[in-house]
Amino acid sequence: MKKYFLIGFIFCLPIESVASEKMWIYFTDKDNAGQSITLDDKAIKRRQKMDIKHSWYDRPVTQSYITAVEELGVVIHHKSRWLNAVSVTVDNDVLNAISAFPFVKNIEPVAIFKNNKLEFSDSHSLRKQSITDSLDYGFAQEQIEQINCHTAHQAGYTGQGVRVLILDTGFNTVRSVFDSLIIIDEWDFINNDGNTANENDDVSNQHNHGTMVFSTLAGYDPGNLIGPAFDSEFLLAKTEDVPNESQVEEDNYVAALEWGEQLGADIMSSSLGYLDWYSYCDMDGNTGVTTIAVDIATSLGMLCVTAAGNWGTAEPPPNPCDTLYYYISAPADADSVIAVGAVNSDGVIASFSSHGPTYDGRIKPEVCARGVSTWGVNANSDSYRTANGTSLSAPLVSGAAAVILSAHPDWTPMQIREALMMTADRVDAPDNDYGYGVIDVMAAIDYEVSSIDENNVPDEFSILNVYPNPFNPTTTIRFTVKSNHSRSLHVYDITGKLVETIVNDKLLPGEYTYKWNALGFPSGIYFVHLKTPSGSISRKITYLK
């Protein structure tokens, strides 16, 4: 059986060498008069935690730009508000005409997923047993207890009130393990319809991987299998194509993220990654399209969890920039994501689990859960089986995050991420195999998150928020002043060079809001630095053009 932890890549070919390819067309700006999208009430409520209402990311791509491209005979596949781009299929002879439009910023190929194996064990043909206990986890007992999720369930935290978006190959939801689950909506981004189960043109195993992932995350069949987040609500996105030699592009992934965020998803879970068209040197948290999309989703209040990858059995390459095997792949390199490694029942790292660090030196993965002999449902019968892969450790952590959020509905994505990492079993000695270790759900619930990430923050002020982050081209900086002192607010680039002074004055106590416009500066990482006589604090921000 194949695992569809799908792998893709991006490259930059000269326009002359591309013929009838699927491409991203990026635009220079957006129509300021464009109407923002309508957000689900749950999305509005979720964004309130981040003090965000409507943003640049909510405005659609300018229709006149799309029309001009379509008039050249181009087929539009997806429109991305977040990237300010459209994915298209286009012939070589049209590309030069498109690139000549003054509103076209650049054109790049759409990255492609490739198949990767998921090793299944023999199926256990056991149907639903009689219920002896309302929390009889059946086959899932060990994988639930390993992350101490059963204790959280006993305390009444079962993912209630949390909406989870799952990106995968498809879902057969007629299995008994899904009977009691609440599915809010589903969409097939491959065929553009509302059916995420197998369709006439699909291969027979199309929905197998997604069905198993869904059951591991949230199934509820007492006596046989219970997942962490069985009381949550779900959005199901079919984004990954299964057949051998077939390819499915990253625009499905980005479109699904935007769809789920608009519909109020609190958490996104995916078991895929991009590999071959990237090199390890691109794993810097700012290059991959899916990496960028994940950071945008997080800035809008949606926690993103992804598999670290199954490339760990490869040897570290002599020149890391020649390949990505051995290391994590995009979007696991994102600054804000929770990348998940796989361990066995004894907590020992799986040989296949991908390693860190990121190219810029950050520890990866963030955390681990069971990804060896992990239990889930068969897609085509009410029987259960095990499989190996970070594809199954990731949904355990996604479900755990939903449980934590049901206990702390006011927590932001970065606070949940902090709680999971700071209570994992290797927090005192994190490394690039395990990250911070196997998670402990109940300990994370009991953890006291910090309002900001930095240490030694003076009492005289605190940064409340920097949003959106990533941004284009403006971001808003908010902080409070508690005493009458001189203070400065500067922006530095990644090399430490001062690029702009926003404040250099004595401020009265109160709340202050400033906007920084990065127009004219190169895209990349910057630092907002707030200083008083008694100390300072910095925030990392990302400018995406």
Side-chain angles (χ1 to χ4, degrees):
M1 302 289 291
K2 286 215 178 257
K3 167 187 182 291
Y4 296 98
F5 177 91
L6 301 181
I7 309 304
F9 31 88
I10 195 165
F11 67 105
C12 295
L13 288 177
I15 286 178
E16 301 81 56
S17 66
V18 180
S20 192
E21 294 283 351
K22 200 170 187 184
M23 310 292 288
W24 283 115
I25 299 175
Y26 292 87
F27 299 118
T28 56
D29 61 343
K30 287 186 179 182
D31 181 0
N32 289 329
Q35 295 297 313
S36 293
I37 58 169
T38 300
L39 295 171
D40 185 272
D41 288 344
K42 199 166 192 318
I44 295 172
K45 184 176 180 180
R46 185 201 66 232
R47 288 188 182 194
Q48 286 174 347
K49 292 187 292 185
M50 311 286 288
D51 198 19
I52 299 171
K53 295 180 181 178
H54 282 288
S55 75
W56 181 89
Y57 299 119
D58 299 329
R59 297 212 312 269
V61 180
T62 302
Q63 184 56 48
S64 62
Y65 298 167
I66 297 173
T67 300
V69 171
E70 286 180 317
E71 287 176 348
L72 295 176
V74 170
V75 177
I76 305 287
H77 295 289
H78 291 296
K79 307 168 188 175
S80 172
R81 307 184 312 275
W82 293 359
L83 303 178
N84 195 25
V86 292
S87 60
V88 304
T89 297
V90 58
D91 292 334
N92 174 59
D93 57 358
V94 179
L95 280 174
N96 287 326
I98 294 174
S99 64
F101 285 134
F103 51 79
V104 171
K105 182 178 179 182
N106 62 304
I107 302 173
E108 294 178 356
V110 172
I112 305 227
F113 298 115
K114 288 175 58 183
N115 294 341
N116 184 29
K117 292 181 179 179
L118 173 59
E119 299 295 338
F120 288 99
S121 65
D122 292 335
S123 172
H124 290 248
S125 298
L126 179 63
R127 295 183 62 83
K128 188 173 182 180
Q129 300 172 348
S130 59
I131 298 174
T132 57
D133 189 287
S134 61
L135 288 176
D136 182 352
Y137 297 98
F139 295 117
Q141 188 79 34
E142 286 187 358
Q143 64 203 46
I144 290 291
E145 289 186 346
Q146 185 181 47
I147 60 175
N148 200 17
C149 193
H150 61 300
T151 307
H153 287 167
Q154 292 165 8
Y157 307 123
T158 53
Q160 63 270 33
V162 178
R163 190 167 292 181
V164 181
L165 166 67
I166 307 176
L167 278 59
D168 218 289
T169 64
F171 309 91
N172 183 3
T173 58
V174 300
R175 303 276 65 84
S176 298
V177 75
F178 303 123
D179 283 351
S180 63
L181 270 57
I182 302 171
I183 298 173
I184 299 298
D185 204 351
E186 56 185 302
W187 192 257
D188 181 343
F189 287 87
I190 300 169
N191 299 306
N192 289 317
D193 61 42
N195 177 26
T196 60
N198 280 359
E199 301 190 54
N200 291 336
D201 293 335
D202 287 330
V203 294
S204 61
N205 63 331
Q206 170 69 43
H207 58 201
N208 289 14
H209 182 269
T211 303
M212 190 171 191
V213 164
F214 189 14
S215 66
T216 301
L217 192 157
Y220 188 75
D221 185 3
N224 285 327
L225 184 139
I226 298 176
F230 56 85
D231 267 343
S232 293
E233 303 172 344
F234 298 95
L235 299 167
L236 306 179
K238 180 179 176 181
T239 61
E240 306 176 48
D241 211 0
V242 167
N244 292 335
E245 305 306 326
S246 70
Q247 298 171 330
V248 60
E249 296 83 358
E250 67 191 354
D251 57 338
N252 290 339
Y253 183 101
V254 175
L257 266 185
E258 294 187 19
W259 173 79
E261 192 279 326
Q262 183 178 355
L263 290 179
D266 299 294
I267 294 167
M268 182 280 290
S269 181
S270 75
S271 294
L272 56 88
Y274 293 91
L275 187 65
D276 288 1
W277 286 9
Y278 290 125
S279 77
Y280 175 60
C281 294
D282 295 318
M283 297 299 103
D284 58 1
N286 297 294
T287 299
V289 170
T290 54
T291 298
I292 293 168
V294 159
D295 280 341
I296 293 172
T298 306
S299 75
L300 296 174
M302 183 165 70
L303 175 70
C304 294
V305 179
T306 195
N310 294 348
W311 319 112
T313 52
E315 292 294 325
N319 181 2
C321 289
D322 288 342
T323 185
L324 196 61
Y325 290 99
Y326 179 82
Y327 296 106
I328 51 96
S329 56
D333 67 311
D335 295 332
S336 58
V337 80
I338 299 176
V340 184
V343 296
N344 65 16
S345 59
D346 295 322
V348 177
I349 197 72
S351 61
F352 56 78
S353 189
S354 288
H355 307 274
T358 60
Y359 183 64
D360 57 328
R362 288 172 288 119
I363 289 176
K364 288 286 180 174
E366 271 73 22
V367 295
C368 291
R370 184 164 170 175
V372 177
S373 297
T374 306
W375 286 92
V377 75
N378 273 306
N380 299 311
S381 70
D382 279 335
S383 61
Y384 297 86
R385 71 189 313 165
T386 60
N388 304 327
T390 56
S391 277
L392 296 178
S393 54
L396 285 172
V397 173
S398 305
V403 170
I404 295 166
L405 188 57
S406 68
H408 295 284
D410 59 325
W411 279 8
T412 66
M414 298 309 285
Q415 289 175 318
I416 299 170
R417 183 176 182 270
E418 177 189 335
L420 281 165
M421 293 167 64
M422 293 299 102
T423 56
D425 68 354
R426 290 174 178 260
V427 64
D428 293 330
D431 61 31
N432 287 301
D433 297 326
Y434 294 86
Y436 288 77
V438 177
I439 64 169
D440 184 326
V441 179
M442 197 63 213
I445 288 173
D446 292 337
Y447 178 75
E448 300 224 0
V449 298
S450 57
S451 58
I452 52 179
D453 297 331
E454 293 79 3
N455 297 320
N456 193 30
V457 178
D459 291 335
E460 287 83 4
F461 67 84
S462 63
I463 288 184
L464 297 179
N465 214 341
V466 181
Y467 66 91
N469 184 23
F471 66 98
N472 178 18
T474 61
T475 190
T476 299
I477 304 160
R478 296 183 59 195
F479 61 91
T480 55
V481 173
K482 297 181 180 179
S483 60
N484 190 7
H485 285 297
S486 297
R487 55 200 21 84
S488 62
L489 180 65
H490 301 290
V491 179
Y492 296 88
D493 67 15
I494 197 168
T495 68
K497 178 182 177 182
L498 175 66
V499 297
E500 189 155 337
T501 297
I502 299 174
V503 174
N504 191 12
D505 203 354
K506 182 176 289 187
L507 299 177
L508 296 174
E511 184 175 302
Y512 291 84
T513 300
Y514 294 92
K515 285 188 180 292
W516 183 54
N517 190 332
L519 196 64
F521 293 103
S523 60
I525 296 173
Y526 293 85
F527 295 91
V528 177
H529 186 74
L530 183 60
K531 184 178 181 180
T532 72
S534 60
S536 63
I537 181 174
S538 295
R539 286 282 190 177
K540 176 182 173 182
I541 57 176
T542 304
Y543 176 30
L544 301 177
K545 291 187 178 180

